Amino acid sequence: MKLLTVIDMQNDFIDAALGTKEAVAIVPKVAAKIRDCRNAGYEVVFTRDTHQEDYLRTQEGKNLPVVHCVRGTDGWQISSQLDVGGSKVIDKPSFGSMELAEYAASLPGLEEVELVGLCTGICVISNALILKARLPEVKVSVDSSCCACVTPESHATALAAMKLCQVNVF
């Protein structure tokens, strides 16, 4: 069994508060990946970066003082260009999600977790490494064509770091 994990494909990361042209460019690719994986019978799960109104007073907010992904706002929503359907959506208050790792661990016969989404150098890498630590015998993969980061250079740096940790990057 394969699990496609769509990381933080939210409006604020695509074309709003923290959006980039690279993030906008991957949306159609991610939409196609979701469709193809569902057609192949794979499970699809989404994560959603989730902050509260007090974001700027949090540790993350002090280090990244750009209000984003506040619960209930348009920026918090997953892009309407992606078909969430009946998929599980995990709201995460941090870069990585232990809930995602435990959910993946609960799936019988899981052979691979593939990650796509935003941002390669923050939330994608965090979740890939948590999954790798929680599921050392499960293949963890990242489709680099369906990920983007703050800059192309930071995207490449994150991909290289994941490769060092035995995450399959293609």
Side-chain angles (χ1 to χ4, degrees):
M1 172 194 196
K2 181 174 174 177
L3 174 66
L4 176 66
T5 304
V6 182
I7 304 292
D8 298 357
M9 289 296 295
Q10 296 161 266
N11 295 325
D12 271 347
F13 291 132
I14 297 170
D15 59 7
L18 294 169
T20 64
K21 66 180 191 239
E22 292 83 7
V24 170
I26 70 164
V27 174
K29 296 174 189 175
V30 173
K33 172 74 76 168
I34 292 166
R35 184 181 56 252
D36 293 348
C37 284
R38 283 196 177 122
N39 288 341
Y42 303 147
E43 183 163 349
V44 179
V45 64
F46 290 77
T47 68
R48 188 166 45 193
D49 195 41
T50 303
H51 300 296
Q52 308 306 318
E53 294 292 335
D54 69 344
Y55 172 75
L56 292 176
R57 291 190 297 274
T58 68
Q59 182 69 28
E60 181 182 330
K62 291 174 185 173
N63 288 293
L64 177 62
V66 178
V67 176
H68 65 282
C69 298
V70 174
R71 182 183 297 277
T73 65
D74 185 59
W76 175 69
Q77 301 298 327
I78 294 169
S79 172
S80 62
Q81 296 177 60
L82 303 179
D83 179 14
V84 175
S87 293
K88 181 174 184 61
V89 177
I90 297 171
D91 292 336
K92 57 183 193 55
S94 178
F95 302 146
S97 174
M98 297 302 291
E99 182 180 350
L100 172 62
E102 291 309 314
Y103 176 71
S106 75
L107 298 173
L110 183 65
E111 296 172 355
E112 181 178 0
V113 179
E114 181 178 335
L115 293 91
V116 298
L118 302 167
C119 160
T120 319
I122 301 172
C123 293
V124 174
I125 192 172
S126 295
N127 284 288
L129 296 179
I130 289 170
L131 286 160
K132 192 71 180 160
R134 176 64 179 89
L135 303 163
E137 296 305 319
V138 171
K139 182 178 181 180
V140 176
S141 300
V142 172
D143 182 342
S144 62
S145 73
C146 290
C147 294
C149 200
V150 177
T151 66
E153 295 78 19
S154 60
H155 174 72
T157 298
L159 295 173
M162 287 187 275
K163 286 179 185 177
L164 284 173
C165 293
Q166 300 179 1
V167 172
N168 178 44
V169 176
F170 62 97

Coordinates of all heavy atoms in Angstrom, one line a residue, residues 93-148:
P93 N 0.0 22.2 14.1 CA 0.4 23.5 14.7 C 1.9 23.8 14.5 O 2.4 24.9 15.0 CB 0.0 23.4 16.2 CG 0.2 22.0 16.4 CD -0.2 21.2 15.2
S94 N 2.6 22.9 13.9 CA 4.1 23.0 13.8 C 4.5 22.5 12.4 O 3.7 22.1 11.6 CB 4.7 22.1 14.9 OG 6.1 22.1 14.8
F95 N 5.8 22.6 12.1 CA 6.3 22.2 10.8 C 6.0 20.7 10.6 O 5.5 20.4 9.5 CB 7.8 22.4 10.7 CG 8.2 23.9 11.0 CD1 9.4 24.1 11.6 CD2 7.5 24.9 10.5 CE1 9.9 25.4 11.7 CE2 7.9 26.2 10.7 CZ 9.1 26.5 11.3
G96 N 6.3 19.9 11.5 CA 6.2 18.5 11.4 C 5.0 18.0 12.2 O 4.5 18.6 13.1
S97 N 4.4 16.8 11.8 CA 3.2 16.3 12.5 C 3.5 14.9 13.0 O 3.6 13.9 12.2 CB 2.1 16.3 11.5 OG 0.9 15.7 12.0
M98 N 3.4 14.8 14.3 CA 3.5 13.4 14.9 C 2.2 12.7 14.6 O 2.2 11.5 14.4 CB 3.7 13.5 16.4 CG 5.0 14.2 16.8 SD 6.4 13.3 16.1 CE 6.3 11.8 17.1
E99 N 1.1 13.4 14.5 CA -0.2 12.8 14.1 C -0.1 12.2 12.8 O -0.7 11.0 12.6 CB -1.3 13.8 14.2 CG -2.7 13.2 13.9 CD -3.8 14.2 13.9 OE1 -3.6 15.4 14.3 OE2 -4.9 13.9 13.5
L100 N 0.5 12.8 11.8 CA 0.7 12.2 10.5 C 1.5 10.9 10.6 O 1.1 9.9 10.0 CB 1.4 13.2 9.5 CG 1.8 12.7 8.2 CD1 0.6 12.2 7.4 CD2 2.6 13.7 7.4
A101 N 2.6 10.9 11.3 CA 3.4 9.8 11.5 C 2.6 8.6 12.1 O 2.7 7.5 11.7 CB 4.7 10.1 12.3
E102 N 1.8 8.9 13.1 CA 1.1 7.9 13.8 C 0.0 7.3 12.9 O -0.3 6.2 12.8 CB 0.5 8.4 15.1 CG 1.6 8.6 16.2 CD 2.5 7.4 16.4 OE1 2.0 6.2 16.4 OE2 3.7 7.6 16.4
Y103 N -0.6 8.2 12.1 CA -1.7 7.8 11.1 C -1.0 6.9 10.1 O -1.6 5.8 9.8 CB -2.3 9.0 10.4 CG -3.3 8.6 9.4 CD1 -4.5 8.1 9.7 CD2 -3.0 8.8 8.0 CE1 -5.4 7.7 8.8 CE2 -3.9 8.4 7.1 CZ -5.1 7.8 7.4 OH -6.0 7.4 6.5
A104 N 0.1 7.2 9.6 CA 0.8 6.4 8.6 C 1.1 5.0 9.2 O 0.9 4.0 8.6 CB 2.0 7.1 8.0
A105 N 1.6 5.0 10.5 CA 2.0 3.8 11.1 C 0.8 2.9 11.4 O 0.9 1.7 11.5 CB 2.7 4.1 12.5
S106 N -0.4 3.5 11.4 CA -1.6 2.7 11.7 C -2.2 2.0 10.4 O -3.1 1.1 10.5 CB -2.7 3.6 12.2 OG -3.3 4.4 11.2
L107 N -1.6 2.3 9.2 CA -2.1 1.7 8.0 C -1.5 0.3 7.8 O -0.3 0.2 7.6 CB -1.8 2.7 6.8 CG -2.4 4.0 6.9 CD1 -1.9 4.9 5.8 CD2 -3.9 3.9 6.9
P108 N -2.3 -0.7 7.7 CA -1.8 -2.0 7.5 C -1.2 -2.2 6.1 O -1.7 -1.7 5.1 CB -3.0 -2.9 7.6 CG -4.2 -2.0 7.5 CD -3.8 -0.6 7.8
G109 N 0.0 -2.8 6.0 CA 0.6 -3.1 4.8 C 1.2 -1.9 4.1 O 1.5 -1.9 2.9
L110 N 1.5 -0.8 4.8 CA 2.1 0.4 4.2 C 3.5 0.1 3.7 O 4.3 -0.4 4.5 CB 2.1 1.5 5.2 CG 2.6 2.9 4.7 CD1 1.7 3.4 3.6 CD2 2.7 3.9 5.8
E111 N 3.7 0.3 2.5 CA 5.1 0.1 1.9 C 5.8 1.4 1.6 O 7.0 1.4 1.5 CB 4.9 -0.8 0.6 CG 4.4 -2.2 0.9 CD 4.1 -2.9 -0.4 OE1 4.2 -2.4 -1.5 OE2 3.7 -4.1 -0.3
E112 N 5.0 2.4 1.2 CA 5.7 3.7 0.9 C 4.8 4.9 1.2 O 3.6 4.8 1.1 CB 5.9 3.7 -0.7 CG 6.6 5.0 -1.1 CD 6.9 5.0 -2.6 OE1 6.5 4.1 -3.3 OE2 7.4 6.1 -3.1
V113 N 5.5 5.9 1.7 CA 4.8 7.2 1.9 C 5.5 8.2 1.0 O 6.7 8.4 1.0 CB 5.0 7.7 3.4 CG1 4.3 9.1 3.5 CG2 4.4 6.7 4.3
E114 N 4.7 8.8 0.1 CA 5.3 9.8 -0.8 C 4.8 11.2 -0.4 O 3.6 11.3 -0.1 CB 4.8 9.5 -2.3 CG 5.4 10.5 -3.3 CD 5.0 10.2 -4.7 OE1 4.7 9.1 -5.0 OE2 5.0 11.2 -5.5
L115 N 5.7 12.1 -0.4 CA 5.3 13.5 0.0 C 5.4 14.4 -1.2 O 6.4 14.3 -2.0 CB 6.2 14.0 1.1 CG 6.1 13.3 2.5 CD1 7.0 12.1 2.6 CD2 6.3 14.3 3.6
V116 N 4.5 15.4 -1.2 CA 4.5 16.5 -2.2 C 4.0 17.7 -1.4 O 3.4 17.6 -0.4 CB 3.6 16.2 -3.4 CG1 4.0 15.0 -4.2 CG2 2.1 16.1 -3.0
G117 N 4.3 18.9 -1.9 CA 3.8 20.1 -1.3 C 4.8 21.2 -1.0 O 5.8 21.3 -1.6
L118 N 4.4 21.9 0.1 CA 5.1 23.2 0.4 C 5.4 23.1 1.9 O 4.7 22.6 2.7 CB 4.2 24.4 0.1 CG 3.7 24.5 -1.3 CD1 2.6 25.5 -1.5 CD2 4.9 24.8 -2.2
C119 N 6.4 23.7 2.3 CA 7.6 24.2 1.6 C 8.7 23.2 1.8 O 8.8 22.6 2.9 CB 7.9 25.6 2.3 SG 9.6 26.2 2.1
T120 N 9.4 22.9 0.7 CA 10.4 21.8 0.7 C 11.3 21.9 1.9 O 11.6 20.9 2.6 CB 11.2 21.8 -0.6 OG1 10.4 22.1 -1.7 CG2 11.9 20.5 -0.8
G121 N 11.8 23.1 2.2 CA 12.9 23.3 3.2 C 12.4 23.4 4.6 O 13.1 23.6 5.6
I122 N 11.0 23.4 4.8 CA 10.5 23.5 6.2 C 9.6 22.4 6.5 O 9.9 21.4 7.2 CB 9.8 24.9 6.4 CG1 10.8 26.0 6.1 CG2 9.2 25.0 7.8 CD1 10.2 27.4 6.1
C123 N 8.4 22.4 6.0 CA 7.4 21.4 6.3 C 7.5 20.0 5.6 O 7.3 19.0 6.2 CB 5.9 21.9 6.2 SG 5.6 23.3 7.3
V124 N 7.9 20.1 4.4 CA 8.1 18.8 3.7 C 9.3 18.0 4.3 O 9.1 16.8 4.7 CB 8.4 19.0 2.1 CG1 8.7 17.7 1.5 CG2 7.1 19.6 1.5
I125 N 10.4 18.7 4.5 CA 11.6 18.0 5.1 C 11.3 17.5 6.5 O 11.6 16.4 6.9 CB 12.9 18.8 5.0 CG1 14.1 18.0 5.4 CG2 12.8 20.1 5.9 CD1 15.4 18.7 5.1
S126 N 10.6 18.4 7.3 CA 10.2 18.0 8.7 C 9.4 16.7 8.7 O 9.7 15.8 9.5 CB 9.5 19.1 9.4 OG 10.3 20.3 9.5
N127 N 8.4 16.7 7.9 CA 7.5 15.5 7.9 C 8.2 14.3 7.3 O 8.0 13.2 7.8 CB 6.2 15.8 7.2 CG 5.3 16.7 8.0 OD1 4.8 16.2 9.0 ND2 5.2 18.0 7.7
A128 N 9.0 14.5 6.3 CA 9.8 13.3 5.7 C 10.7 12.7 6.8 O 10.7 11.5 6.9 CB 10.6 13.8 4.5
L129 N 11.3 13.5 7.6 CA 12.3 13.0 8.6 C 11.5 12.4 9.8 O 12.0 11.4 10.3 CB 13.2 14.1 9.0 CG 14.2 14.5 7.9 CD1 15.1 15.6 8.4 CD2 14.9 13.4 7.3
I130 N 10.4 12.9 10.1 CA 9.6 12.3 11.2 C 9.1 11.0 10.7 O 9.1 10.0 11.5 CB 8.4 13.3 11.6 CG1 9.0 14.5 12.4 CG2 7.4 12.5 12.5 CD1 7.9 15.6 12.6
L131 N 8.6 10.9 9.5 CA 8.1 9.7 8.9 C 9.2 8.6 8.9 O 9.0 7.4 9.2 CB 7.4 9.9 7.6 CG 6.1 10.5 7.6 CD1 5.7 11.2 6.2 CD2 5.0 9.6 8.0
K132 N 10.4 9.0 8.4 CA 11.5 8.1 8.3 C 11.9 7.6 9.7 O 12.2 6.4 9.8 CB 12.7 8.9 7.7 CG 13.8 8.0 7.3 CD 13.4 7.1 6.1 CE 14.6 6.2 5.7 NZ 14.1 5.1 4.9
A133 N 11.9 8.5 10.7 CA 12.2 8.0 12.1 C 11.1 7.1 12.6 O 11.5 6.1 13.3 CB 12.4 9.2 13.0
R134 N 9.9 7.4 12.4 CA 8.8 6.5 12.9 C 8.6 5.2 12.2 O 8.2 4.2 12.8 CB 7.5 7.3 12.9 CG 6.2 6.6 13.3 CD 6.3 6.2 14.8 NE 5.2 5.5 15.3 CZ 5.0 4.2 15.2 NH1 6.0 3.4 14.7 NH2 3.9 3.6 15.7
L135 N 8.9 5.2 10.9 CA 8.7 4.1 10.0 C 10.0 3.7 9.3 O 10.1 3.9 8.1 CB 7.6 4.4 9.0 CG 6.2 4.8 9.6 CD1 5.3 5.4 8.6 CD2 5.6 3.6 10.2
P136 N 11.0 3.3 10.0 CA 12.3 3.1 9.4 C 12.4 2.1 8.2 O 13.2 2.1 7.4 CB 13.2 2.7 10.5 CG 12.3 2.1 11.6 CD 11.0 2.9 11.4
E137 N 11.4 1.1 8.2 CA 11.4 0.1 7.1 C 10.4 0.4 6.0 O 10.2 -0.3 5.1 CB 11.1 -1.3 7.7 CG 12.2 -1.7 8.7 CD 13.6 -1.7 8.0 OE1 13.8 -2.1 6.9 OE2 14.6 -1.3 8.7
V138 N 9.8 1.6 6.1 CA 8.8 2.0 5.0 C 9.6 3.0 4.1 O 10.3 3.9 4.6 CB 7.6 2.7 5.6 CG1 6.7 3.3 4.6 CG2 6.8 1.7 6.4
K139 N 9.4 2.8 2.8 CA 10.1 3.7 1.9 C 9.4 5.1 2.0 O 8.2 5.2 1.9 CB 9.9 3.2 0.5 CG 10.6 4.0 -0.6 CD 10.4 3.4 -2.0 CE 11.1 4.2 -3.1 NZ 10.9 3.5 -4.4
V140 N 10.2 6.1 2.2 CA 9.7 7.5 2.3 C 10.3 8.2 1.0 O 11.5 8.2 0.8 CB 10.1 8.2 3.6 CG1 9.7 9.7 3.5 CG2 9.6 7.5 4.8
S141 N 9.4 8.8 0.2 CA 9.8 9.4 -1.0 C 9.3 10.8 -1.1 O 8.2 11.2 -0.5 CB 9.2 8.6 -2.2 OG 9.7 7.3 -2.2
V142 N 10.0 11.7 -1.9 CA 9.6 13.0 -2.2 C 9.6 13.2 -3.7 O 10.7 13.0 -4.3 CB 10.4 14.0 -1.5 CG1 10.1 15.5 -1.9 CG2 10.3 13.9 0.1
D143 N 8.5 13.7 -4.3 CA 8.5 14.0 -5.7 C 8.9 15.5 -5.8 O 8.2 16.4 -5.5 CB 7.1 13.8 -6.3 CG 7.1 14.1 -7.8 OD1 8.0 14.8 -8.3 OD2 6.1 13.7 -8.4
S144 N 10.2 15.7 -6.2 CA 10.7 17.1 -6.2 C 10.0 18.0 -7.2 O 10.0 19.2 -7.0 CB 12.2 17.0 -6.5 OG 12.4 16.5 -7.8
S145 N 9.4 17.4 -8.2 CA 8.7 18.3 -9.2 C 7.3 18.8 -8.6 O 6.7 19.6 -9.2 CB 8.4 17.5 -10.5 OG 7.5 16.5 -10.3
C146 N 6.9 18.2 -7.5 CA 5.6 18.6 -6.9 C 5.9 19.3 -5.6 O 5.0 19.2 -4.7 CB 4.7 17.4 -6.7 SG 4.1 16.7 -8.3
C147 N 7.0 19.8 -5.4 CA 7.4 20.6 -4.2 C 8.0 21.9 -4.6 O 8.6 22.0 -5.7 CB 8.4 19.8 -3.3 SG 7.8 18.3 -2.6
A148 N 7.9 22.9 -3.7 CA 8.6 24.2 -3.9 C 9.0 24.7 -2.6 O 8.4 24.3 -1.5 CB 7.6 25.1 -4.6

